[in-house]
Amino acid sequence: MIAVLFRWEIKPGCEQSFKEGWSEIIHRNIEKYGALGSRLHKTHDNQWLSYSQWISEEHFLQSRNLQDRHEEARAKMIRAISKAYEPIVMVPMLDHLIASETTQLQLLP
């Protein structure tokens, strides 16, 4: 398993479009390419971070190189982004996460 960290700066007023595009791509990655899920975060200094888990680095790379790139969802995200940073691929070394239904986060408005 690997994790991938993404980071963006979003144009003011474009947050909803970005979240919609991001959600569509995440669901596509889970259904078709071996993604294990993802979370989207916003920092106090207005940067957006996404942490996603994948079965393997090969699965992650395959999702980025295939023709099925979900162009409409990507366009929503691209229009909203003022700056994008290169993804960081990480290999977990230790895991102390709690996995239960009570830790599931509800979507925030």
Side-chain angles (χ1 to χ4, degrees), residues 6-8 10 15 19 40-42 46-49:
F6 298 90
R7 184 169 58 129
W8 307 273
I10 306 303
E15 293 86 356
K19 290 191 294 186
L40 182 63
H41 304 267
K42 182 180 176 184
N46 208 30
Q47 293 207 359
W48 292 66
L49 301 158

Side-chain angles (χ1 to χ4, degrees), residues 28-71:
R28 165 227 175 226
N29 288 342
I30 291 169
E31 292 170 10
K32 294 185 177 183
Y33 299 111
L36 300 172
S38 187
R39 284 196 171 134
L40 182 63
H41 304 267
K42 182 180 176 184
T43 66
H44 291 294
D45 62 350
N46 208 30
Q47 293 207 359
W48 292 66
L49 301 158
S50 174
Y51 172 87
S52 60
Q53 292 182 304
W54 295 82
I55 294 171
S56 70
E57 187 168 358
E58 292 76 25
H59 284 84
F60 165 65
L61 293 173
Q62 188 178 37
S63 77
R64 296 173 62 85
N65 292 325
L66 293 178
Q67 290 182 7
D68 172 27
R69 293 176 45 106
H70 211 90
E71 292 300 330

